[in-house]
């Protein structure tokens, strides 16, 4: 059914015409069905069969004839081979790093911000690096499963992973995650999304003041969805509780895509969402506050929390990282490719139209930024544990 090929069994009861010529009568088949020189013909047939088998074996041993490329094919050129071809082992390293396919780990569900950007970058990376780029999803623990796998990978440029701030800072501070922040070497930060508090368009809460009043009247009754625990969404919820003097119930999801699906389906009363999701679904939601210093261009009618007397600024920064110990020349090559994409005017325009804030922070700048915000988030750890 999947191939679209339909087969039909032979019509065994249809008579001789459906099966070929009728067999000769008994006693006559030896004389009539063995032409002169049959032994020579049989020997020739065996010889042809042997030669054919030998040819197949020779072709299979090269590794280059199979679709998708074998180990030898993947190692023969920088961009060759398929995602599972084993080109990494056979291809060896060039310029201090692997030259086989590049595995790009996405740490959240398909359809989320990390996935959108990885898919946007993929064809450009293949062109700039001269390597196949295979996107793989490693979802779990609010990204922790993926980052744990990243730090266990070979530090040779064969694997990169999308990284999210403050996730990679807060998670190791809160629990055993299988990785530490310093085990991830940032290559670039290429995108940011301010967070906003939203309710469905049909919600009784028309303003932030009404939302806060309802939360004070019914402590813990209002559910707020977010992407993961110890994430920017979690931090924003906790900070709003502290600044407004209210109690909310935070509901974590495995990524932004399932978070928004649950919210639109009425499974949570409100959501702290990324700016691009707020823009995408603006006709179906009401944004009560944007956690930014200024109004967001994609939602000019939505007030900031600061405008409403609450000093809440929170965003998610995204980039890509490699395992600590990756050679500097490998990081520099990846940095150059990702920054070329991040600085492309057409790509930046696409991102802005979709509700993202483009960034183009290189390796050194990203590392310094992470060290700076780590100090800020360490001060929030106690609040998150309560």
């Amino acid at each position: 059914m999947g191939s679209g090929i339909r087969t039909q069994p032979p019509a065994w009861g249809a008579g001789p015409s459906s099966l070929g010529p009728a067999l000769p009568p008994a006693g006559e088949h030896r004389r009539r069905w063995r032409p002169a020189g049959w032994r020579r013909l049989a020997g020739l047939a065996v010889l042809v069969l042997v030669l054919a088998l030998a040819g197949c074996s020779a072709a299979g041993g090269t590794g280059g004839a199979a679709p998708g490329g074998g180990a030898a094919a993947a190692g023969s050129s920088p961009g060759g081979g398929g995602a599972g071809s084993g080109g990494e082992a056979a291809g060896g390293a060039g310029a201090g790093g692997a030259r086989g396919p590049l595995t790009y780990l996405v740490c959240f569900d398909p359809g989320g911000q990390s996935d959108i950007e990885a898919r946007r970058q993929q064809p450009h990376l293949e062109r700039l690096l001269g390597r196949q780029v295979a996107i793989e999803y490693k979802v779990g623990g609010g990204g922790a499963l993926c980052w744990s796998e990243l730090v266990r990978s070979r530090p040779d440029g064969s694997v990169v992973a999308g990284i999210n701030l403050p996730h990679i800072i807060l998670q190791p501070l809160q629990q055993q995650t299988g990785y530490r922040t310093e085990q991830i070497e940032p290559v670039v930060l290429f995108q940011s999304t301010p967070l906003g508090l939203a309710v469905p368009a049909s919600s009784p809460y028309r303003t932030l003041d009404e939302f806060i009043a309802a939360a004070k009247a019914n402590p813990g009754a209002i559910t707020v969805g977010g992407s993961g625990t110890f994430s920017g969404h979690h931090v924003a919820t906790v900070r709003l509780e502290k600044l407004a003097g209210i109690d909310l119930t935070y509901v974590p999801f495995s990524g932004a895509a399932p978070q928004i699906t649950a919210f639109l389906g009425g499974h949570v009363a409100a959501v702290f969402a990324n700016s691009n999701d707020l823009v995408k679904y603006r006709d179906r939601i009401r944004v009560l506050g944007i956690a930014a210093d200024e109004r967001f261009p994609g939602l000019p009618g939505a007030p900031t929390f600061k405008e409403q007397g609450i000093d809440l600024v929170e965003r998610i920064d995204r980039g890509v990282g490699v395992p600590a110990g990756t050679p500097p020349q490998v990081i520099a090559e990846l940095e150059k490719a990702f920054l070329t994409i991040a600085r492309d005017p057409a790509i930046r325009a696409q991102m802005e139209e979709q509700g993202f804030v483009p960034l183009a922070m290189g390796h050194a700048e990203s590392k310094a930024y992470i060290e700076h915000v780590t100090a800020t988030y360490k001060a929030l750890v106690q609040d998150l544990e309560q």
Side-chain angles (χ1 to χ4, degrees):
M1 220 167 113
S3 65
I5 298 175
R6 305 179 65 180
T7 60
Q8 183 175 349
W12 296 110
S17 62
S18 64
L19 300 174
L23 293 177
E28 297 185 13
H29 67 283
R30 293 181 183 274
R31 173 172 50 83
R32 294 176 59 187
W33 282 74
R34 287 191 179 180
W38 67 272
R39 289 184 178 84
R40 291 192 298 273
L41 291 175
L44 181 60
V46 171
L47 178 61
V48 170
L49 180 60
V50 170
L51 291 174
L53 290 174
C56 290
S57 298
T62 64
S76 62
S77 62
S85 66
E88 180 58 39
R99 299 308 302 167
L102 174 66
T103 298
Y104 191 151
L105 300 179
V106 172
C107 304
F108 296 93
D109 294 89
Q113 289 75 20
S114 298
D115 181 41
I116 290 171
E117 209 53 41
R119 294 292 176 183
R120 196 198 316 270
Q121 293 164 340
Q122 184 182 30
H124 302 285
L125 288 172
E126 291 184 332
R127 172 177 55 83
L128 293 167
L129 296 172
R131 303 167 64 184
Q132 180 184 358
V133 176
I135 293 176
E136 294 184 6
Y137 300 93
K138 298 291 180 181
V139 181
L145 177 68
C146 179
W147 295 314
S148 297
E149 178 161 328
L150 173 69
V151 301
R152 294 195 303 269
S153 302
R154 291 175 58 184
D156 58 1
S158 60
V159 178
V160 301
I163 57 174
N164 292 53
L165 304 176
H167 308 49
I168 64 169
I169 297 171
L170 286 172
Q171 289 180 356
L173 292 175
Q174 295 294 305
Q175 57 192 4
Q176 293 296 324
T177 58
Y179 75 94
R180 300 188 308 275
T181 306
E182 60 269 22
Q183 289 179 294
I184 300 174
E185 196 72 35
V187 177
V188 298
L189 293 176
F190 47 67
Q191 179 190 95
S192 180
T193 46
L195 299 183
L197 177 67
V199 294
S202 58
S203 172
Y205 314 126
R206 302 195 62 83
T207 66
L208 180 61
D209 286 341
E210 291 179 0
F211 178 89
I212 291 174
K216 286 182 176 179
N218 302 279
I222 298 179
T223 53
V224 179
S227 177
T229 53
F230 311 123
S231 63
H233 308 82
H234 191 184
V235 169
T237 305
V238 170
R239 291 186 64 194
L240 177 59
E241 287 180 309
K242 185 175 181 179
L243 292 169
I246 58 177
D247 289 323
L248 303 168
T249 297
Y250 179 72
V251 182
F253 293 89
S254 60
Q259 164 202 0
I260 291 297
T261 299
F263 168 61
L264 295 176
H267 299 289
V268 290
V271 68
F272 258 111
N274 299 292
S275 55
N276 74 303
D277 282 329
L278 299 176
V279 169
K280 183 177 181 180
Y281 297 105
R282 57 189 159 196
D283 294 335
R284 300 174 60 182
I285 65 176
R286 182 180 302 124
V287 181
L288 302 181
I290 295 289
D293 289 311
E294 300 176 351
R295 291 203 177 196
F296 186 67
L299 297 163
T304 66
F305 281 98
K306 282 189 170 185
E307 288 179 53
Q308 302 174 86
I310 296 179
D311 188 12
L312 176 57
V313 176
E314 193 63 48
R315 70 186 200 183
I316 307 296
D317 296 310
R318 295 179 192 83
V320 67
V322 293
T326 300
Q329 62 269 32
V330 175
I331 295 177
E333 181 185 21
L334 292 170
E335 176 190 37
K336 181 179 179 182
F338 276 100
L339 284 180
T340 298
I341 298 168
R343 291 168 177 162
D344 184 283
I347 291 176
R348 294 177 72 86
Q350 286 177 6
M351 293 171 66
E352 290 172 350
E353 183 179 357
Q354 293 169 352
F356 296 100
V357 176
L359 300 177
M361 298 171 62
H363 167 61
E365 187 180 3
S366 297
K367 193 164 186 174
Y369 175 73
I370 290 173
E371 291 174 356
H372 172 73
V373 297
T374 295
T376 301
Y377 283 115
K378 280 184 175 180
L380 298 172
V381 169
Q382 187 173 357
D383 291 335
L384 287 171
E385 290 176 341
Q386 294 176 354

